Amino acid sequence: MFSKHKTLGEFIIENQTEFRYSTGELSKLINAIRLAAKVVNHEVNKAGLVDILGTAGDTNIQGENQQKLDVLANEKFIQTLKNREIVCGIASEEEDDFISINSQDENHQNKYVVLIDPLDGSSNIDVNVSVGTIFSVYRRVTPVGTPVTLEDFLQPGKNQVAAGYIIYGTSTMLVYTTGHGVNGFTLNPAIGTFYLSHPNMQFPETGKIYSVNEGNYIHFPQGVKDYIKYCQKEEGDRPYTSRYIGSLVSDFHRNMIKGGIYLYPKSSKAQKGKLRLLYECNPMAFLAEQANGKASDGFKRIMEIQPTELHERVPFFCGSKKMVERAEEFMSDS
Ligand code: AHM
Ligand code: MG
């Protein structure tokens, strides 16, 4: 029976055998992410107090200014994963290239690669609005013991063995899946322990919330314009409510709990959309599907897409199954 007081550590141990390749390695990896999450949480929480706000001055590969906390979160996650020697490679939104770990040591046996967006929605940091960390885990495809290659990272989302996010919100939560449903853990900051607070999370089949940056409306494809008008129409259970935080993790999290759809379509300004396939869309798509939701690029399943670049972008429609399906109908009709 579900105990409200089960900790993430206990949960990981209890569910270790559910992993397809149960060597304990993936459990250690989730443990390392848990640790890094606590460190980053600590930094995010004190952001308003100390001089770590603002722009670090560097520009990342997407041409965006890096916030200092992005840099910090990136460092913390990479350091934690490196120090524990449990992965063979890491790719991050904040790094131009992937990082190979233990590439000098021919005896290393680590089988997993991790892709992360260390601090997503970072434009929200300096206004005290929720941000998140997103992670995605794959088994490498090249032989164990050799340096990782780009091929290990450019896998379709359906190959993911684990994915999740940390939301630094009114409370901090770690939500993840290893392909056996989605579970959410809330941090008790007083003692630094995550507790299973949201077992078996599920998107409601349909919902009443649509989340999209409507400021870009004029640039959207006709199908998206039509779908937005549909959401706003007075008919049946509509009009829907519009809610957009501008922080994917937070918008996704709310929609999973309440029922809704998140859209970041392509536009005439950004032909491939904005969000990154490998460390934003794929992990969220894996979570969505594991929670009875759906994720698509407007036409096809996100997790079927064969990536060709580390920082590839893709249009993203994600949320309650029926709502995503309806949006897809508008896309194909147009
Ligand atoms: P980031 O990785 O630079 O933070 O960008 C990703 C974020 C998402 O969290 C959010 O949903 C989206 O960008 C908001 O974009 P916009 O401001 O164009 O609406
Ligand atoms: Mg991001």
Side-chain angles (χ1 to χ4, degrees):
M1 189 159 139
F2 158 63
S3 153
K4 259 200 151 172
H5 304 290
K6 194 177 287 179
T7 68
L8 174 55
E10 289 164 346
F11 184 88
I12 291 172
I13 294 166
E14 275 176 30
N15 292 279
Q16 188 156 309
T17 48
E18 276 189 355
F19 300 149
R20 207 165 9 135
Y21 316 94
S22 185
T23 59
E25 216 178 323
L26 194 53
S27 298
K28 284 189 202 146
L29 178 48
I30 304 285
N31 252 320
I33 289 170
R34 168 181 71 156
L35 181 64
K38 285 194 235 180
V39 176
V40 172
N41 177 62
H42 181 69
E43 299 299 335
V44 169
N45 281 172
K46 67 181 189 190
L49 294 172
V50 289
D51 184 28
I52 50 174
L53 286 177
T55 305
D58 295 338
T59 302
N60 70 9
I61 196 168
Q62 332 285 346
E64 301 151 335
N65 274 336
Q66 283 192 21
Q67 308 284 318
K68 280 183 188 172
L69 270 177
D70 297 21
V71 180
L72 202 99
N74 189 44
E75 277 171 20
K76 297 293 177 200
F77 272 93
I78 291 175
Q79 252 171 33
T80 311
L81 293 169
K82 262 188 176 172
N83 289 347
R84 288 169 184 260
E85 295 183 1
I86 41 180
V87 293
C88 50
I90 305 171
S92 163
E93 176 172 341
E94 303 299 340
E95 304 282 335
D96 296 357
D97 292 318
F98 64 84
I99 299 166
S100 183
I101 297 172
N102 285 342
S103 53
Q104 306 307 319
D105 173 8
E106 284 179 12
N107 296 320
H108 73 88
Q109 293 299 307
N110 301 339
K111 292 183 274 304
Y112 295 99
V113 295
V114 177
L115 297 100
I116 50 170
D117 183 350
L119 212 60
D120 185 62
S122 49
S123 63
N124 280 321
I125 295 165
D126 40 5
V127 290
N128 209 352
V129 172
S130 298
V131 288
T133 295
I134 309 172
F135 63 91
S136 166
V137 182
Y138 293 84
R139 270 174 85 87
R140 64 182 303 174
V141 291
T142 54
V144 172
T146 61
V148 281
T149 68
L150 189 57
E151 214 188 322
D152 295 311
F153 296 92
L154 297 187
Q155 299 190 50
K158 64 183 178 189
N159 290 3
Q160 286 172 105
V161 293
Y165 59 79
I166 297 115
I167 176 167
Y168 311 98
T170 43
S171 40
T172 295
M173 283 188 69
L174 194 156
V175 176
Y176 79 99
T177 182
T178 55
H180 299 273
V182 176
N183 291 287
F185 301 81
T186 304
L187 181 67
N188 177 345
I191 52 172
T193 303
F194 281 104
Y195 287 97
L196 178 59
S197 52
H198 294 62
N200 193 22
M201 296 180 85
Q202 299 267 317
F203 270 95
E205 195 84 353
T206 189
K208 295 193 70 174
I209 297 172
Y210 72 105
S211 314
V212 61
N213 186 342
E214 278 185 76
N216 294 327
Y217 183 88
I218 195 80
H219 302 291
F220 284 154
Q222 192 55 44
V224 175
K225 288 182 177 166
D226 294 345
Y227 180 68
I228 291 174
K229 287 291 159 226
Y230 164 86
C231 292
Q232 295 170 341
K233 195 168 175 194
E234 184 105 50
E235 195 174 286
D237 62 348
R238 289 168 284 135
Y240 295 155
T241 296
S242 165
R243 287 282 181 275
Y244 189 70
I245 298 169
S247 167
L248 171 63
V249 169
S250 316
D251 281 309
F252 178 99
H253 188 75
R254 182 207 49 241
N255 289 351
M256 178 159 62
I257 291 171
K258 295 199 163 177
I261 182 172
Y262 173 96
L263 307 106
Y264 211 109
K266 70 172 189 175
S267 69
S268 49
K269 286 196 302 187
Q271 276 304 320
K272 291 184 162 180
K274 175 185 183 190
L275 300 182
R276 275 50 66 118
L277 173 61
L278 288 176
Y279 40 80
E280 292 178 328
C281 301
N282 271 336
M284 295 320 238
F286 190 21
L287 287 160
E289 289 193 8
Q290 284 296 316
N292 196 35
K294 194 168 174 165
S296 136
D297 69 353
F299 301 96
K300 59 183 183 301
R301 188 179 174 220
I302 285 288
M303 292 208 288
E304 296 288 343
I305 299 171
Q306 174 59 55
T308 54
E309 298 168 45
L310 214 46
H311 298 284
E312 184 167 340
R313 295 171 195 267
V314 74
F316 195 49
F317 296 58
C318 179
S320 290
K321 205 182 271 174
K322 290 219 162 109
M323 297 180 88
V324 175
E325 281 165 1
R326 196 80 187 95
E328 283 181 325
E329 283 166 23
F330 277 97
M331 291 303 287
S332 53
D333 286 354
S334 73

